[in-house]
Amino acid sequence: MNKILEKRQLSYDKERDQSVYYFKVEAPEIARNRKAGQFIIFQIDEDYGERIPLTIADANAEEGWIAIVFQTVGASTRRFSATFNVGDNVPVLVGPLGKPTHIEKKDGLILCVGGGIGIAPLHPIVQANHAIGNKVVTIIGARTKELLFFEDEMRAASDELIVVTDDGSYGRKAVVTAPLTEICEKEKVSEIVSIGPAIMMKFCVAAARPFGVPITTSLNTIMIDGTGMCGCCRVKVGDKTKFVCVDGPEFNGYEVDFDNMMQRMTAFKDKEREADHKCRVGLDAAKKGA
């Protein structure tokens, strides 16, 4: 079993009634073996429940813990945030899964771009590049100031941190592609790493294309078993079908068919909304009963 060591709410989106939570979980084997870019799958119920993939946001091999960051976008994540607390055990936690990020010393800078919840999985990649001496410029963005997180962590691991918000409530009023383009115009960029909503990654790829800078994107498709058996996470990459769980989660952004990916991600939206509604009703009833 994997004990929860720390629980923090990082942000709250009032408009969508969605929160972002940070959980530090005891997982010594995963902490010792994980590499930047890899993920875990967890369940909140041992016998029944959705399998939720999350990239490892941080880890400490000596202390034996990993950190996961998630947004309450559905029934399972909402129930997890509401009913699990420090001292509780996560019933199922499997990993590390997926191929790790390829980290090597580069001549030019590494430009890391994170949007929304994608800031969390970007963090270990920024750390790993910084650790080997690469110059790292990091851009993080969100719709508004209240939805930003990991600013201090990103600043500590970056040579430069640029913060943007859509509404200008904090940092620069812009979307992440604006500083991405400006940096590519004036500096030697060896690689761009982009993680965030699919539409954001699609536009980051479009912004990078005129400069010919290699761009890596980390995909967040629907996933079930995490071993390549179910095929649920398949995506079109170039002229091939790839499975995000075993071939990724990172791919050359220029080859990813983002339109097809976004279409596939809507396949169960109606059922997800229905399950989330039932979860909200159940949690509200439990609160009133208490």
Side-chain angles (χ1 to χ4, degrees):
M1 301 296 275
N2 306 96
K3 185 182 291 185
I4 297 170
L5 305 174
E6 183 181 341
K7 173 184 178 181
R8 285 188 281 135
Q9 184 173 338
L10 299 180
S11 70
Y12 176 63
D13 185 343
K14 186 177 181 180
E15 180 183 336
R16 301 178 182 179
D17 189 23
Q18 294 176 348
S19 298
V20 173
Y21 281 90
Y22 170 101
F23 275 54
K24 182 187 288 185
V25 182
E26 190 176 56
E29 289 297 323
I30 297 176
R32 278 194 292 269
N33 291 285
R34 70 95 202 193
K35 291 181 174 62
Q38 291 186 295
F39 65 96
I40 55 92
I41 285 181
F42 78 93
Q43 289 177 243
I44 62 174
D45 188 293
E46 209 167 52
D47 300 314
Y48 173 80
E50 183 180 8
R51 292 168 62 83
I52 304 168
L54 291 174
T55 303
I56 301 166
D58 202 355
N60 188 304
E62 292 182 0
E63 297 178 7
W65 57 261
I66 65 169
I68 55 176
V69 175
F70 64 92
Q71 191 171 28
T72 54
V73 293
S76 295
T77 47
R78 193 174 299 279
R79 187 173 290 111
F80 185 46
S81 68
T83 60
F84 282 74
N85 295 293
V86 172
D88 294 336
N89 289 308
V90 180
V92 178
L93 187 65
V94 180
L97 301 170
K99 292 183 177 179
T101 305
H102 180 69
I103 305 289
E104 65 178 3
K105 193 74 174 67
K106 298 286 182 71
D107 292 332
L109 67 85
I110 307 296
L111 183 55
C112 295
V113 187
I117 194 66
I119 295 170
L122 187 69
H123 179 239
I125 297 171
V126 173
Q127 285 180 313
N129 275 288
H130 181 75
I132 66 168
N134 280 329
K135 181 181 179 182
V136 182
V137 175
T138 303
I139 304 168
I140 58 173
R143 295 200 325 274
T144 186
K145 178 182 178 179
E146 288 72 25
L147 303 182
L148 284 165
F149 60 91
F150 270 24
E151 181 181 354
D152 291 341
E153 290 86 344
M154 288 298 205
R155 196 178 302 280
S158 306
D159 292 275
E160 181 184 357
L161 177 67
I162 300 168
V163 180
V164 300
T165 50
D166 292 358
D167 64 359
S169 56
Y170 188 66
R172 174 182 169 183
K173 183 177 181 180
V175 292
V176 294
T177 51
L180 182 157
T181 300
E182 292 163 2
I183 292 168
C184 287
E185 286 175 339
K186 65 182 182 181
E187 297 203 45
K188 179 183 178 181
V189 181
S190 291
E191 182 183 9
I192 299 169
V193 181
S194 174
I195 308 180
I199 190 67
M200 185 209 86
M201 291 189 287
K202 177 182 176 180
F203 282 113
C204 283
V205 170
R209 193 179 296 277
F211 304 99
V213 178
I215 180 166
T216 299
T217 55
S218 182
L219 308 187
N220 56 341
T221 53
I222 296 169
M223 199 176 293
I224 299 177
D225 70 330
T227 64
M229 297 296 290
C230 71
C232 189
C233 66
R234 65 186 181 275
V235 289
K236 291 182 180 178
V237 181
D239 59 354
K240 298 179 181 179
T241 296
K242 298 285 187 178
F243 297 149
V244 172
C245 64
V246 291
D247 297 319
E250 296 178 358
F251 296 95
N252 178 346
Y254 295 125
E255 297 184 346
V256 175
D257 186 338
F258 284 102
D259 292 334
N260 177 264
M261 172 182 155
M262 288 186 284
Q263 183 180 29
R264 285 182 52 76
M265 288 174 67
T266 65
F268 303 103
K269 283 297 180 185
D270 290 343
K271 293 184 182 296
E272 290 169 358
R273 280 192 287 266
E274 181 182 350
D276 189 35
H277 175 71
K278 289 180 180 178
C279 178
R280 291 171 193 250
V281 171
L283 292 172
D284 288 342
K287 286 180 183 178
K288 292 176 182 177

